Amino acid sequence: MKNIVELKTITCRGKRPGPKLLITGGVHGDEFEPMVAIRRLAKRLHKEDLTGTVTMVPVVNEEAFLLCSRTASDGLDLARTCPGNVNGSITERVAHQLSNLIQEADYYIDLHTGGTTMSIYPLAGYMLDVDLKVRDAQHNMARAFNLPLVWGTDPNLDGRSLSVARDAGIPAIYVEYHGAAVCDPSGVDAMVEGCLNTMNHLQMLTRPEPVPSVLYDVQETRSDSGFFQRSHLSPCDGYFETDRLIGNFINRGELLGTVVDPLGETRVDIPAETTGLINCLRTFPSVRKNDSLGYIVETGKNSNE
Ligand SMILES: [Zn+2]
């Protein structure tokens, strides 16, 4: 049997009993704002003010972080490997420990970014769970986090942290905020504030309601909605050029970008697959065939409105 992986956690136990909230970052090793935000959040929490318990994991996928990589040395995506295997590879063992923590929680927030290669419009997402009570709890948590996009998507995706929460009936949301291989201070601030806002909503602490920032509240029911890696796949290896920006609208068929060869002689246009808000766009120009180049959320508006 291989060694059990210990996840490094920070726990704040409130003076008053109440719900157990789990907050994780660094499920992917190249997503930095969540790691900083969770450490900062831990310093903002005081047991005198807190009802319930908050368990925080700033860097779930520590080996991936040390490798400066999305994934650990076995190449498995942790967010496709849950619930993992206690005797498996490094990512499978981390997934097992993470899944145990999720199953012990009453509520769960998983913080992400677009990592090294993508940038993502700030959003709080959740699975359109078949259990309406859980779905409503998730929707309300996502709205309370107070980022511009609230996004309900396909509940049938497996292997993710949220899949574990779904199977355990635990209300859970995930958050995305930019990425592109930097640590954006505005993302750190938004994640700290968002966690506090959601805790306020869960009556774990008391703070003034923020000025509402939700601009779009979208439920995409089609299968694979929310699956960035299955949208706008590059047809070939090359260099991805785009002048689009996340947060802007695009109409179906308009140019999302172009994949070109090293001399620029062969150019393959990538048309928008649908009409809506660009909420994810590749920022790392080097692409391999079948890498995702972007994602468009069907918000019901087009770029001319
Ligand atoms: Zn991630």
Side-chain angles (χ1 to χ4, degrees):
M1 188 175 133
K2 293 177 181 166
N3 291 336
I4 289 177
V5 180
E6 292 287 344
L7 302 187
K8 292 182 181 131
T9 62
I10 309 166
T11 300
C12 184
R13 210 163 267 112
K15 275 208 154 174
R16 293 170 296 280
K20 287 184 280 184
L21 171 66
L22 173 66
I23 304 174
T24 57
V27 161
H28 295 124
D30 63 347
E31 301 178 3
F32 306 117
E33 289 87 341
M35 303 175 189
V36 181
I38 290 173
R39 290 195 289 267
R40 194 173 296 172
L41 176 69
K43 290 202 164 49
R44 291 274 295 272
L45 297 179
H46 303 288
K47 61 183 180 187
E48 295 76 20
D49 308 325
L50 184 66
T51 299
T53 301
V54 186
T55 301
M56 292 158 276
V57 191
V59 189
V60 172
N61 201 342
E62 205 173 340
E63 194 194 83
F65 171 71
L66 294 172
L67 288 170
C68 313
S69 166
R70 177 178 170 90
T71 60
S73 54
D74 57 12
L76 295 177
D77 187 332
L78 179 52
R80 308 288 177 270
T81 308
C82 291
N85 176 357
V86 70
N87 294 317
S89 69
I90 178 68
T91 303
E92 290 173 317
R93 282 179 284 152
V94 172
H96 175 81
Q97 296 299 93
L98 172 62
S99 300
N100 284 349
L101 279 180
I102 296 167
Q103 286 157 356
E104 289 166 8
D106 298 311
Y107 299 99
Y108 178 39
I109 302 172
D110 191 15
L111 303 175
H112 289 254
T113 77
T116 311
T117 58
M118 311 294 275
S119 188
I120 302 176
Y121 186 68
L123 68 91
Y126 63 100
M127 286 185 171
L128 292 167
D129 211 283
V130 283
D131 182 324
L132 293 184
K133 208 170 143 205
V134 173
R135 188 187 71 182
D136 288 349
Q138 296 179 151
H139 182 218
N140 290 334
M141 286 170 69
R143 284 195 68 90
F145 204 98
N146 203 30
L147 292 176
L149 174 61
V150 171
W151 194 25
T153 53
D154 186 354
N156 299 310
L157 303 180
D158 288 324
R160 295 158 187 253
S161 57
L162 260 61
S163 320
V164 176
R166 173 200 64 201
D167 294 344
I170 295 160
I173 61 171
Y174 72 100
V175 167
E176 302 276 4
Y177 198 110
H178 296 179
V182 298
C183 185
D184 180 343
S186 73
V188 175
D189 289 346
M191 286 182 180
V192 172
E193 293 302 310
C195 288
L196 292 170
N197 290 336
T198 303
M199 291 170 66
N200 186 43
H201 162 71
L202 296 173
Q203 299 183 316
M204 297 180 72
L205 49 75
T206 305
R207 73 190 316 243
E209 291 283 338
V211 177
S213 299
V214 175
L215 298 177
Y216 313 101
D217 190 340
V218 182
Q219 302 192 347
E220 277 192 311
T221 52
R222 66 183 170 77
S223 76
D224 272 355
S225 64
F227 203 150
F228 291 126
Q229 286 81 7
R230 289 198 183 149
S231 172
H232 294 89
L233 304 187
S234 181
C236 53
D237 292 358
Y239 186 108
F240 180 55
E241 297 179 349
T242 181
D243 56 7
R244 298 287 177 176
L245 294 170
I246 54 169
N248 286 352
F249 284 87
I250 190 168
N251 289 315
R252 182 183 170 146
E254 288 178 348
L255 190 66
L256 183 68
T258 305
V259 180
V260 306
D261 71 4
L263 295 178
E265 289 171 347
T266 307
R267 304 178 63 84
V268 183
D269 287 345
I270 310 298
E273 292 169 2
T274 186
T275 294
L277 177 90
I278 302 169
N279 82 331
C280 176
L281 196 63
R282 189 174 184 91
T283 50
F284 196 82
S286 176
V287 292
R288 302 280 77 79
K289 185 179 180 182
N290 290 330
D291 282 347
S292 172
L293 303 172
Y295 192 104
I296 298 166
V297 180
E298 293 174 19
T299 55
K301 286 183 178 178
N302 66 47
S303 62
N304 301 318
E305 286 180 63

